[in-house]
Amino acid sequence: MENIAIIGGGWAGIAAAIILTEAGKRIALIEAAPSLGGRAKKIDTAPLDNGQHILSGANRETFALMRRIGVSPERVMRRLPFTFLDNAGMRLALPNMAGSLGMAWGLFAARGISLKTKWQTACWLTRLKERGFVPEDDSTVSQWLAASGQPVEFCRRFWEPLCLAALNAPAHKASARLFARVLKDTLGSGEKGSKDLFIPVESLSELLPNPAARWLADRNVPVRPGCRVKRLCPSEGGWEIESPAGRETFTRIILAVAPQHLPALLKELPQADGFPLPPAIFSPIATVYFHYPKTTTLPFPLMAMTGGIGQWLIDRGNGLIAAVLSGMSGWEELSRAEIAWKLHLEIWQITGAHIFPEFDIFIEKRATFAALPNLVRCPQKTPWHGLFLAGDYCWADYPATLESAVRSGLEAARLCLHPGKS
């Protein structure tokens, strides 16, 4: 009887498990960590997430997957219209209109931007939309913006913070093609609601990982947290995997592990030398949670920061403010205490909360692959019969996001169900 092992219980592996279970397949979901969720979940030993994520209305497949298992995105997340607000007085809010009309309206009503810059940006976005949001070549975001005539100050204040948030890479290193794709599906989308922002009000684990674990358990699907697969190899009629549970045979395998763990599992396979592995250059993310008095609030739940080390602030409510530092931009050379103190001084200027509060800091050195130009991505279909890959590093259209992880998981499930189709 056909059985499928999904190795890796992050968002990609979860997506594949749900689809294959709905299709009536016998599966096992195997995860090395004590709980599902990968790089987007609640810390196992603390009531905080291992990083702050912001979703957008363009995360259609992620929201659809949540609804499939009974989770309402509107219940577990706070929905906000796209509003860019920074600590230096810039404010750009997009009304709830579909298409370019909303972007044009928002630009010309914006504060802290010159009329000339508004006109230049509106004209450029119009030309970009006509070209399908496809840059002429995959240069860096900084090179692309400069060639497009975008004003330097507007790039520094608006485009560069957006690039960091979307790609976890500074504009002078990030891929223009990937950034343009993000713009196409958000600011440039014709679908109503695609520009909206979603800030979790529950832990990331309650958005998908925990409800998925319960959903799978209700259907008697074996979910094995704390079980690290040591090796896999082809066997007669399928694949054999070795883990603390012993040796087991499966007809098909979906490998949905983090990119740094993939080479070790593939290295013993025939033809492994010629298979394109995931990107080996990573970008870090630090998330600092400040526990201010409950009355401490930001002017808007999401704020960009300029002029210091801060990049983005997120108001989680009840005095909990998360500060996010992405990419390699100098902060990683500071101690944890120095990072927190410098960020607190910047938050003080906004909120007036002068007393240095308790804080928690989580640094993920390999949070995402580095979204560099001309990046070679790992294919989901492999040369080994019955072995497929899933993970944000496989979904070439997007940078490393929850949406790209989910889409790769859906595609891996499709390949498993219809292995003969491309």
Side-chain angles (χ1 to χ4, degrees), residues 31-374:
E31 166 58 35
S35 58
L36 301 184
R39 288 166 289 164
K41 65 178 180 179
K42 186 183 79 67
I43 297 290
D44 293 321
T45 58
L48 296 167
D49 294 327
N50 59 2
Q52 176 68 53
H53 285 260
I54 303 295
L55 287 80
S56 79
N59 294 154
R60 291 181 290 276
E61 297 296 346
T62 300
F63 294 158
L65 189 69
M66 293 166 65
R67 291 188 177 100
R68 287 176 99 131
I69 60 171
V71 178
S72 167
E74 290 76 16
R75 181 183 64 81
V76 295
M77 291 183 286
R78 182 181 180 185
R79 184 172 193 156
L80 302 167
F82 179 92
T83 301
F84 183 95
L85 179 69
D86 74 8
N87 59 326
M90 180 185 291
R91 187 178 188 277
L92 192 162
L94 301 184
N96 193 16
M97 300 178 183
S100 56
L101 180 60
M103 187 65 196
W105 184 281
L107 265 174
F108 286 100
R111 295 199 313 254
I113 308 172
S114 71
L115 184 59
K116 181 180 179 181
T117 296
K118 295 176 181 180
W119 178 252
Q120 287 175 316
T121 303
C123 291
W124 176 59
L125 287 172
T126 299
R127 294 193 302 270
L128 189 58
K129 186 170 185 177
E130 291 171 351
R131 295 198 302 268
F133 285 83
V134 179
E136 293 182 0
D137 56 41
D138 196 11
S139 59
T140 68
V141 171
S142 291
Q143 291 169 334
W144 180 49
L145 294 172
S148 303
Q150 282 291 282
V152 173
E153 182 65 10
F154 189 60
C155 289
R156 185 182 71 83
R157 296 273 301 278
F158 183 72
W159 293 122
E160 291 179 10
L162 282 188
C163 177
L164 262 178
L167 273 65
N168 189 31
H172 68 276
K173 293 183 178 180
S175 161
R177 183 183 64 80
L178 288 177
F179 188 51
R181 180 56 191 257
V182 172
L183 294 181
K184 177 182 179 180
D185 287 354
T186 53
L187 302 187
S189 174
E191 293 190 26
K192 194 173 182 179
S194 292
K195 304 176 184 67
D196 290 350
L197 304 172
F198 287 78
I199 298 178
V201 294
E202 300 280 354
S203 75
L204 291 172
S205 291
E206 290 303 324
L207 268 61
L208 183 68
N210 287 351
R214 294 190 289 267
W215 186 89
L216 292 168
D218 289 343
R219 287 152 182 79
N220 299 314
V221 174
V223 178
R224 303 179 194 168
C227 183
R228 182 177 295 279
V229 172
K230 299 175 182 177
R231 63 186 295 269
L232 61 95
C233 61
S235 67
E236 185 176 348
W239 290 83
E240 183 180 270
I241 68 171
E242 182 180 335
S243 73
R247 294 187 177 183
E248 300 173 273
T249 300
F250 293 87
T251 53
R252 291 176 190 162
I253 300 281
I254 292 177
L255 273 181
V257 298
Q260 64 268 25
H261 299 313
L262 188 62
L265 291 171
L266 297 182
K267 67 180 181 181
E268 297 181 21
L269 301 183
Q271 304 177 29
D273 290 344
F275 186 74
L277 292 172
I281 303 174
F282 298 93
S283 291
I285 294 179
T287 304
V288 187
Y289 294 100
F290 290 99
H291 303 273
Y292 286 104
K294 291 185 177 182
T295 54
T296 304
T297 60
L298 297 177
F300 188 73
L302 178 66
M303 282 191 66
M305 302 292 286
T306 185
I309 71 164
Q311 296 173 0
W312 288 93
L313 299 179
I314 299 92
D315 191 336
R316 296 293 299 262
N318 293 319
L320 180 63
I321 293 179
V324 179
L325 302 175
S326 300
M328 305 280 284
S329 55
W331 61 265
E332 67 280 0
E333 299 173 4
L334 303 173
S335 70
R336 291 173 177 244
E338 288 174 323
I339 291 172
W341 176 249
K342 287 178 178 290
L343 287 171
H344 163 67
L345 293 179
E346 295 173 23
I347 295 171
W348 177 8
Q349 298 300 314
I350 300 169
T351 64
H354 63 281
I355 297 176
F356 188 40
E358 292 185 4
F359 67 92
D360 295 281
I361 181 167
F362 302 100
I363 299 177
E364 177 58 63
K365 293 183 179 179
R366 294 184 288 194
T368 68
F369 60 83
L372 306 177
N374 302 305

Side-chain angles (χ1 to χ4, degrees), residues 2-5 239 250-254 386 388 415-417 419:
E2 185 178 68
N3 62 336
I4 301 167
W239 290 83
F250 293 87
T251 53
R252 291 176 190 162
I253 300 281
I254 292 177
F388 308 99
L415 290 170
C416 244
L417 293 170

